[in-house]
Amino acid sequence: MTRKVADCRKAPSDINCSLTISGEEHEVIRAAVEHAVSAHGHEDTPELREQLRGMLENEVRPESDGMRFVQLIEFKTHRKDEINQLMDEWEDRTGGKRTATRAVLTQDHEQPDTYFEFVEFPSYDEAIHNSNLPETDELSHRMRDLCDGEPTFHNLDVVRAEAL
């Protein structure tokens, strides 16, 4: 099971809190609630717990750079702003559920309507889990409507990754 992370830096805060909590989901929620109550003055309510659960992200393991599998998606569109808006919406809706650990969207320098998105996962199985999310299925259909032709998907096992 993928460990979860709650990072205060990603939430608005009057005290500029920088605390990060990681562990199994139930552990992170328990600790994040305690922190939200003691440091931020929130009340322990079901709504607070649900909000915190929505902020959770998958932990990236530093020893492997968190990346063992990459999906490369090539697509053409002249509707970049709508694609970006769609991706932002997907990120908001899949917080705490998605297994993708990182996404990089690139634009071909010589062919400005051609894009490549690299989506990183801890494993192929985690990528399949992510693909099976209803939100991901919806994203895929809506993205195809914004593309000029069908996107091309490449499923790639990472054999070497280095920080240079």
Side-chain angles (χ1 to χ4, degrees):
M1 186 74 167
T2 303
R3 289 167 46 97
K4 300 293 182 180
V5 175
D7 188 343
C8 270
R9 295 172 296 182
K10 296 186 177 185
S13 168
D14 292 339
I15 61 173
N16 294 321
C17 187
S18 65
L19 181 68
T20 300
I21 304 167
S22 67
E24 296 298 321
E25 183 171 332
H26 69 279
E27 297 169 323
V28 174
I29 292 297
R30 184 181 68 240
V33 167
E34 290 173 9
H35 172 71
V37 169
S38 65
H40 296 281
H42 293 286
E43 286 188 45
D44 183 354
T45 64
E47 292 81 15
L48 173 65
R49 289 173 181 271
E50 193 57 35
Q51 182 181 16
L52 292 170
R53 191 168 278 106
M55 294 173 52
L56 295 182
E57 295 183 353
N58 292 326
E59 182 179 61
V60 176
R61 297 178 312 209
E63 68 273 9
S64 67
D65 196 25
M67 179 178 52
R68 294 283 182 215
F69 182 80
V70 176
Q71 187 170 66
L72 170 63
I73 307 164
E74 178 182 357
F75 60 94
K76 296 180 187 293
T77 187
H78 58 280
R79 299 165 75 176
K80 178 177 77 171
D81 292 340
E82 291 172 79
I83 292 283
N84 277 323
Q85 183 178 5
L86 183 60
M87 290 178 176
D88 289 343
E89 181 183 321
W90 176 83
E91 286 180 29
D92 289 343
R93 292 182 57 211
T94 59
K97 293 192 273 186
R98 69 178 170 268
T99 58
T101 56
R102 185 172 186 218
V104 177
L105 180 62
T106 64
Q107 182 177 23
D108 190 309
H109 189 74
E110 283 80 30
Q111 300 176 59
D113 285 343
T114 300
Y115 297 86
F116 298 88
E117 184 176 26
F118 298 85
V119 185
E120 300 175 2
F121 299 91
S123 69
Y124 174 77
D125 290 340
E126 294 284 354
I128 294 299
H129 176 78
N130 194 79
S131 293
N132 289 332
L133 293 173
E135 296 88 351
T136 302
D137 185 54
E138 181 184 336
L139 168 79
S140 177
H141 290 304
R142 291 175 61 195
M143 186 175 170
R144 280 180 163 86
D145 292 341
L146 298 175
C147 288
D148 305 330
E150 281 293 310
T152 303
F153 292 84
H154 302 275
N155 294 311
L156 308 168
D157 293 314
V158 175
V159 295
R160 181 175 173 169
E162 298 178 40
L164 302 175

